[in-house]
Amino acid sequence: MYWCIGKIDALFLARMEDILGLYVLPYDPLYPVVCFDERPCFLIGDTVAPIPTQEGKVAKQHYAYKKNGSCCLLGAIEPLKGHRFTKVYPQRTKKEYAEFMQELVKLYPQAIKIRLVQDNLNTHNFSSFYETLPADEAYELAQRFEIHYTPKSASWLNMIEIEFSALSKQCLNRRIPTQDKLESEIEAIVKERNDKQIKIKWQFTIK
């Protein structure tokens, strides 16, 4: 496996060590550590019906396909608790980010601050709240979060990428023609993984 980590400067080191220090903290329900990111999903349909699957044989499909547009998967995971939360949207704008965070805080009514690990995408900041919600609601929502940004070109520091990799192997690497179908498949996988409370054992430390 190879990672492109770009230029390692003082800001890179500061953010990296901040996140690595965060990951070794003991579980605290009042300050849960939650990793968030998003990824595009392309909706692909078959133009020729695939050959029906036969027992003991590899499934086959025609090389031709139809592009049905795209959508965006937003996801978050609490690694120490083994709980993940996902939503699929037709697009990714500040509105979708704000809506996702509104839903996320509902999962942590007891939390004083949600320690949120995320990247520096232009929609991933509190301005999304203020452009989408009334100022008082935006302020209240922002107060629920403590943001920890990953360094530039260091997505490997965000544990949600591990969860996205698992989702990719189970369904995102296949042809899925519609957003509704994608949502139902992701929902089923996420439920199964939540029921099993699959956690992430992080190996990297500051040392």
Side-chain angles (χ1 to χ4, degrees):
M1 180 180 293
Y2 295 89
W3 295 302
C4 178
I5 59 175
K7 181 181 179 182
I8 300 180
D9 55 15
L11 180 59
F12 186 103
L13 289 173
R15 288 185 171 177
M16 180 178 68
E17 294 199 342
D18 171 59
I19 291 173
L20 292 177
L22 192 67
Y23 286 166
V24 299
L25 294 177
Y27 176 71
D28 186 345
L30 298 181
Y31 294 90
V33 175
V34 177
C35 301
F36 163 82
D37 203 1
E38 60 186 61
R39 58 159 290 171
C41 298
F42 298 99
L43 303 173
I44 304 295
D46 290 305
T47 57
V48 177
I51 299 174
T53 304
Q54 298 180 14
E55 186 176 352
K57 294 186 178 181
V58 177
K60 297 179 180 179
Q61 61 186 15
H62 197 271
Y63 65 86
Y65 61 87
K66 178 183 178 183
K67 295 181 180 179
N68 295 327
S70 63
C71 54
C72 190
L73 169 63
L74 276 64
I77 185 169
E78 188 180 0
L80 293 181
K81 193 174 180 181
H83 184 268
R84 65 273 296 146
F85 171 64
T86 59
K87 293 278 285 186
V88 179
Y89 296 95
Q91 59 183 354
R92 72 134 197 103
T93 67
K94 291 190 172 185
K95 179 176 180 291
E96 284 72 37
Y97 175 78
E99 288 180 357
F100 184 89
M101 292 304 162
Q102 283 182 298
E103 293 297 317
L104 184 65
V105 297
K106 293 177 183 177
L107 302 177
Y108 299 93
Q110 81 288 354
I112 297 173
K113 291 278 187 178
I114 298 172
R115 291 165 165 164
L116 188 68
V117 176
Q118 63 176 15
D119 63 17
N120 294 274
L121 196 64
N122 62 337
T123 58
H124 296 175
N125 56 70
F126 293 157
S127 70
S128 295
F129 303 164
Y130 284 87
E131 291 186 24
T132 305
L133 305 169
D136 57 339
E137 293 181 27
Y139 176 80
E140 183 179 353
L141 182 59
Q143 295 310 299
R144 298 295 309 281
F145 292 100
E146 175 186 297
I147 304 295
H148 296 260
Y149 287 108
T150 57
K152 185 177 179 180
S153 301
S155 60
W156 61 273
L157 277 166
N158 192 336
M159 282 196 260
I160 188 60
E161 299 300 332
I162 298 173
E163 188 64 21
F164 281 164
S165 178
L167 287 174
S168 179
K169 291 176 181 177
Q170 294 186 62
C171 79
L172 298 181
N173 61 350
R174 293 188 282 104
R175 293 181 185 177
I176 299 178
T178 67
Q179 182 176 325
D180 287 343
K181 176 67 172 174
L182 179 68
E183 288 177 349
S184 65
E185 295 216 13
I186 290 177
E187 182 180 349
I189 295 171
V190 168
K191 182 182 185 306
E192 179 184 11
R193 293 174 67 78
N194 279 341
D195 289 345
K196 293 179 179 179
Q197 294 185 314
I198 298 175
K199 302 176 178 63
I200 295 175
K201 295 182 179 180
W202 187 252
Q203 302 296 314
F204 295 94
T205 65
I206 292 176
K207 182 179 179 180

